[in-house]
């Protein structure tokens, strides 16, 4: 026990010494012309290869696309081999496969584990796309396609940056790739895979490009992700649909009741009313909030971009706080009754909703699921029956902004953007990141290049050619800085 403690202390001291060392680290801020010339020569091919991936509709949520999802994994395997990776394999899971590959140049050097996902969200509503979701085109310097940004485009930057380092003889450390096909449906099988393959996945840091920057001239690095509890609710009134004249006013209408129940879940200050919901919520200090408020943000531009005359949210918090450090409850879909052409006079037997709760440190997704379910059931009037079905969950995470890897990423972006990136906490979720920490003991660097305006998950998702190439350019600097700073 005492031996273990002294070992831990030693590691702590070593860590401190390292931090001191790289605080004085200025070496690699210089532009490396080989990187730019390799990208210049190969950029058309880089784009064409990405287009090839974007043409395959790898929608993990819809079983209709099963063959396409599997095909995408096979194509990524080929691309990794072509880029110079070894031991490339398709790892089967209970769901969609994980593509693994590595390049170990020297066991004594650090190892970077790259994570990304090749599955995409469904394309609907398809009629709102101005070109086919799986027919990538470049318009106004942006690649339009489902997955262009989230995450095929961002994931593939890593494959091409790796090719660049291989071809220019500049890979400075070991690399492992783990690209999954179920991120958009909760990464459940990846969790199992990670637990069962700790040796295979041994690394020093994880790097992920599946987030964004504030703007193309305001680089940022994500240092926090929210967790998620996702549930589906069903409210049942009468045992069949009824004539709304013969029965209207005399029986519970499950759609009306569901709306009332949802409305009850927030008070007039937009606080969530589920008892215990805020119990574990991390409270930031005034200093931390002041630090956050330094990130550039224009409320006017925010409203304008979304065509809103006003914003909305929890009392006492700014927009950036509401969408990152505060938990939420949102209806993602609601249905029931007659939705066809014209009018049908009917009281539906059932009403449904899909509800997501975004979680912040130190909330727990299982606990939130349980208290949601208890509360939802408790506020249901006797005139209806309710059923709550949990969907996927994921834990929130905060990643350090003082680590070697963070500084390596920060300096890499400073080199390629000409500006030091700001650390920001994001409102989105990548469920596996918390598990990387809990299961592998590894921190992730969330070095994404997307923009909020890229319309991920929406019609007309796109990704700037600038961002795609900037990612490919920045990643090799990250490797170089990281390898050098880890010495
Ligand atoms: N890449 C996104 C998450 C993201 C986007 C984080 C932008 C930060 C900035 C990821 O693919 C995603 O969409 N995650 C889902 C969760 C998943 C369980 C469906 C999400 O956040 O809704
Ligand atoms: Mn993603
Ligand atoms: Mn996504």
């Amino acid at each position: 026990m005492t031996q273990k403690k002294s070992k831990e202390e030693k590691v702590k001291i070593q860590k401190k010494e390292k931090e001191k060392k790289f605080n004085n680290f200025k070496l690699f801020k210089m532009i490396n012309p080989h990187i730019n010339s390799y990208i210049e020569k190969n950029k058309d091919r880089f784009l064409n290869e990405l287009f090839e991936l974007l043409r395959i509709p790898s929608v993990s949520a819809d079983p209709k696309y099963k063959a396409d999802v599997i095909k995408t994994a096979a194509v990524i395997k080929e691309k990794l081999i072509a880029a110079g990776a070894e031991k490339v394999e398709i790892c089967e899971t209970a769901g969609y496969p994980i593509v693994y590959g590595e390049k170990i140049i020297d066991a004594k050097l650090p190892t970077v584990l790259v994570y990304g996902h090749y599955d995409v969200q469904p394309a609907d509503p398809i009629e709102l796309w101005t070109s086919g979701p799986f027919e990538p085109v470049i318009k106004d310097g942006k690649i339009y396609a489902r997955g262009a940004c989230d995450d095929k485009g961002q994931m593939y930057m890593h494959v091409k940056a790796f090719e660049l380092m291989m071809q220019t003889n500049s890979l400075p450390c070991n690399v492992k790739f783990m690209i999954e096909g179920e991120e958009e449906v909760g990464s459940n099988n990846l969790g199992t895979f990670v637990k069962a393959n700790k040796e295979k996945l041994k690394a020093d840091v994880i790097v992920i490009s599946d987030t964004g920057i504030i703007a193309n001239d305001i680089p940022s690095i994500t240092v926090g992700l929210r967790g998620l509890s996702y549930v589906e609710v069903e409210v049942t009134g009468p045992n069949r649909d009824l004539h709304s004249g013969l029965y209207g006013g005399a029986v519970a209408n499950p759609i009306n009741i569901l709306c009332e129940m949802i409305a009850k879940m927030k008070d007039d200050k937009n606080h969530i009313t589920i008892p215990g919901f805020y119990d574990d919520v991390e409270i930031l200090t005034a200093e931390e909030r002041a630090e956050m408020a330094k990130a550039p943000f224009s409320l006017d531009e925010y409203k304008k971009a979304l065509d809103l005359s006003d914003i909305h949210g929890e009392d006492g918090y700014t927009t950036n706080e509401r969408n990152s450090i505060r938990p939420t409850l949102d209806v993602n879909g609601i249905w029931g009754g007659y939705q066809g052409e014209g009018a049908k006079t009917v009281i539906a037997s059932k009403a449904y909703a899909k509800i997501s709760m975004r979680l912040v440190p130190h909330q727990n997704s299982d606990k939130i699921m349980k208290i949601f379910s208890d509360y939802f059931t408790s506020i249901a009037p006797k005139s209806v029956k309710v059923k709550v079905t949990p969907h996927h969950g994921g834990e929130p995470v905060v990643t350090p902004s003082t680590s070697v890897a963070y500084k390596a990423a920060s300096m890499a972006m400073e080199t390629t953007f000409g500006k030091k990136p700001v650390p920001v906490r994001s409102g989105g979720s990548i469920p596996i990141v918390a598990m990387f920490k809990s299961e592998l003991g590894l921190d992730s660097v969330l070095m994404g290049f997307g923009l909020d305006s890229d319309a991920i998950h929406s019609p007309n998702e796109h990704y700037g050619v600038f961002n795609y190439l900037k990612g490919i350019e920045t990643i090799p600097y990250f490797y170089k800085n990281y390898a050098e700073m880890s010495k």
Side-chain angles (χ1 to χ4, degrees):
M1 194 61 198
T2 41
Q3 233 180 352
K4 199 176 163 215
K5 212 172 180 184
S6 72
K7 204 175 160 194
E8 271 171 17
E9 265 161 18
K10 251 191 213 160
V11 173
K12 249 191 197 162
I13 294 167
Q14 273 176 359
K15 231 177 153 183
K16 275 228 169 102
E17 278 173 359
K18 240 183 209 167
E19 276 184 23
K20 240 194 239 159
K21 197 172 128 193
F22 66 65
N23 276 336
N24 301 320
F25 187 93
K26 299 201 178 64
L27 218 57
F28 291 105
K29 289 203 178 168
M30 246 154 47
I31 288 279
N32 174 352
H34 300 298
I35 293 177
N36 293 299
S37 76
Y38 190 87
I39 293 172
E40 197 49 46
K41 265 191 223 127
N42 294 284
K43 67 177 184 207
D44 290 342
R45 179 173 56 83
F46 288 174
L47 284 164
N48 287 331
E49 289 177 13
L50 173 59
F51 277 29
E52 222 181 290
L53 283 174
L54 293 173
R55 282 192 195 103
I56 319 174
S58 51
V59 180
S60 51
D62 188 344
K64 189 168 93 194
Y65 296 103
K66 186 170 175 188
D68 294 300
V69 183
I70 292 168
K71 188 179 165 207
T72 310
V75 173
I76 289 165
K77 177 183 169 187
E78 292 314 313
K79 299 293 184 199
L80 278 173
I81 294 171
E86 289 163 3
K87 294 192 184 165
V88 184
E89 57 176 321
I90 302 250
C91 306
E92 297 300 338
T93 72
Y96 287 124
I98 294 154
V99 190
Y100 176 86
E102 62 179 41
K103 179 73 190 178
I104 308 296
I105 56 171
D106 183 344
K108 289 193 288 294
L109 289 171
T111 301
V112 173
L113 174 60
V114 177
Y115 163 80
H117 64 95
Y118 65 81
D119 65 320
V120 299
Q121 286 275 327
D124 60 84
I126 194 120
E127 65 278 8
L128 296 183
W129 285 76
T130 54
S131 54
F134 302 106
E135 293 155 25
V137 283
I138 297 178
K139 288 180 271 188
D140 296 333
K142 294 167 197 126
I143 309 155
Y144 280 79
R146 173 57 87 232
C149 172
D150 183 14
D151 179 44
K152 284 175 177 167
Q154 297 214 65
M155 173 272 292
Y156 204 61
M157 299 178 321
H158 284 270
V159 181
K160 293 298 97 178
F162 170 64
E163 174 202 302
L164 181 157
M165 291 185 281
M166 290 297 287
Q167 291 300 317
T168 55
N169 257 319
S170 59
L171 182 70
C173 60
N174 306 312
V175 55
K176 293 179 176 177
F177 287 92
M178 180 171 67
I179 315 298
E180 73 150 319
E182 296 188 312
E183 195 277 341
E184 300 292 8
V185 289
S187 299
N188 282 338
N189 293 305
L190 180 67
T192 312
F193 180 82
V194 167
K195 282 183 191 162
N197 289 281
K198 292 189 178 172
E199 195 54 37
K200 188 193 194 88
L201 301 175
K202 228 173 167 187
D204 295 278
V205 70
I206 293 172
V207 56
I208 304 172
S209 295
D210 194 21
T211 53
I213 49 179
I214 296 176
N216 282 349
D217 58 353
I218 312 172
S220 57
I221 296 179
T222 301
V223 290
L225 293 164
R226 287 195 285 195
L228 185 64
S229 282
Y230 200 109
V231 296
E232 186 166 329
V233 297
E234 180 191 291
V235 176
T236 307
N239 60 1
R240 60 184 169 88
D241 287 5
L242 301 174
H243 188 288
S244 66
L246 294 182
Y247 290 92
V251 297
N253 178 331
I255 301 176
N256 289 14
I257 301 278
L258 174 58
C259 291
E260 285 164 23
M261 289 170 72
I262 290 166
K264 249 190 211 153
M265 302 196 100
K266 281 191 196 168
D267 65 16
D268 59 356
K269 292 186 162 52
N270 284 312
H271 286 298
I272 294 153
T273 52
I274 301 170
F277 188 83
Y278 292 99
D279 279 4
D280 302 322
V281 166
E282 172 197 42
I283 307 293
L284 269 68
T285 63
E287 290 78 49
E288 285 170 316
R289 290 177 70 183
E291 196 54 41
M292 262 189 85
K294 283 186 193 158
F297 176 74
S298 154
L299 194 55
D300 280 339
E301 275 171 36
Y302 186 83
K303 286 194 283 194
K304 209 169 143 204
L306 301 175
D307 195 14
L308 293 170
S309 5
D310 201 2
I311 43 151
H312 176 97
E314 188 184 2
D315 264 21
Y317 294 93
T318 66
T319 296
N320 275 337
E321 290 172 337
R322 287 169 178 170
N323 68 26
S324 66
I325 60 158
R326 297 299 294 169
T328 66
L329 184 151
D330 274 299
V331 178
N332 292 240
I334 183 162
W335 69 103
Y338 183 65
Q339 286 160 58
E341 287 291 317
K344 180 185 180 195
T345 49
V346 66
I347 291 173
S349 166
K350 286 176 187 291
Y352 306 84
K354 290 183 197 276
I355 298 173
S356 71
M357 287 157 284
R358 296 280 170 174
L359 313 179
V360 299
H362 309 285
Q363 287 179 298
N364 171 275
S365 65
D366 288 333
K367 187 173 165 189
I368 293 295
M369 204 90 90
K370 164 114 192 16
I371 62 173
F372 172 91
S373 178
D374 289 350
Y375 184 59
F376 194 77
T377 310
S378 79
I379 60 173
K382 254 207 195 128
S383 53
V384 298
K385 294 183 206 66
V386 301
K387 196 167 105 190
V388 180
T389 311
H391 280 272
H392 47 239
E395 305 315 318
V397 72
V398 169
T399 59
S401 54
T402 51
S403 65
V404 178
Y406 180 91
K407 297 220 168 147
S410 175
M411 287 179 43
M413 281 183 131
E414 192 174 346
T415 303
T416 58
F417 283 86
K419 248 188 215 176
K420 190 174 172 170
V422 245
V424 292
R425 277 168 66 165
S426 169
S429 309
I430 307 176
I432 201 65
V433 177
M435 274 189 79
F436 284 150
K437 183 69 184 172
S438 62
E439 295 300 323
L440 302 177
L442 293 178
D443 285 316
S444 298
V445 175
L446 301 164
M447 188 171 66
F449 295 85
L451 297 173
D452 282 355
S453 55
D454 286 343
I456 64 171
H457 295 205
S458 305
N460 304 309
E461 174 177 352
H462 53 273
Y463 191 40
V465 174
F466 167 86
N467 304 69
Y468 180 56
L469 299 178
K470 192 53 92 180
I472 300 173
E473 182 192 351
T474 307
I475 293 162
Y477 290 101
F478 166 76
Y479 277 74
K480 194 168 189 181
N481 294 340
Y482 183 65
E484 200 60 36
M485 290 158 121
S486 304
K487 269 183 193 160

